[in-house]
């Protein structure tokens, strides 16, 4: 669950804890609950270490999950 304070939240796959060189996969439309996103067929989630919730407007990480790859 995320607060409503941060605008323009996006979901990225990344190999670092920021969006530099990361792949944007979706706009975060819901602030709570389970969500799913489809990846392009040429992308494997095993290519990435992190899932980021990134505030694109202000350029900062709002959430981070380590995929352990």
């Amino acid at each position: 669950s995320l607060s409503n304070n941060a605008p323009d939240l996006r979901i990225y796959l990344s190999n670092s804890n920021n969006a530099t060189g990361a792949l944007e996969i979706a706009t975060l439309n819901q602030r709570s609950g389970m969500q799913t996103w489809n990846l392009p067929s040429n992308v494997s989630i095993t290519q990435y270490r992190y899932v980021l919730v990134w505030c694109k407007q202000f350029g900062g990480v709002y959430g981070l999950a380590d995929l352990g790859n």
Side-chain angles (χ1 to χ4, degrees), residues 2 15 38 62 65-66:
L2 299 169
N15 285 310
N38 293 321
Y62 204 73
D66 190 334

Side-chain angles (χ1 to χ4, degrees), residues 13 23-25 37-48:
L13 294 175
L23 174 67
E24 183 177 332
I25 60 170
W37 301 281
N38 293 321
L39 296 178
S41 61
N42 63 336
V43 173
S44 171
I45 198 165
T46 60
Q47 296 172 276
Y48 298 94

Side-chain angles (χ1 to χ4, degrees), residues 2-52:
L2 299 169
S3 75
N4 289 328
N5 294 338
D8 198 24
L9 297 179
R10 311 291 176 99
I11 304 299
Y12 284 80
L13 294 175
S14 181
N15 285 310
S16 65
N17 61 359
N18 62 58
T20 302
L23 174 67
E24 183 177 332
I25 60 170
T27 298
L28 187 67
N29 294 321
Q30 294 177 204
R31 299 295 175 129
S32 65
M34 187 170 64
Q35 299 178 45
T36 59
W37 301 281
N38 293 321
L39 296 178
S41 61
N42 63 336
V43 173
S44 171
I45 198 165
T46 60
Q47 296 172 276
Y48 298 94
R49 170 102 192 242
Y50 301 100
V51 175
L52 306 175

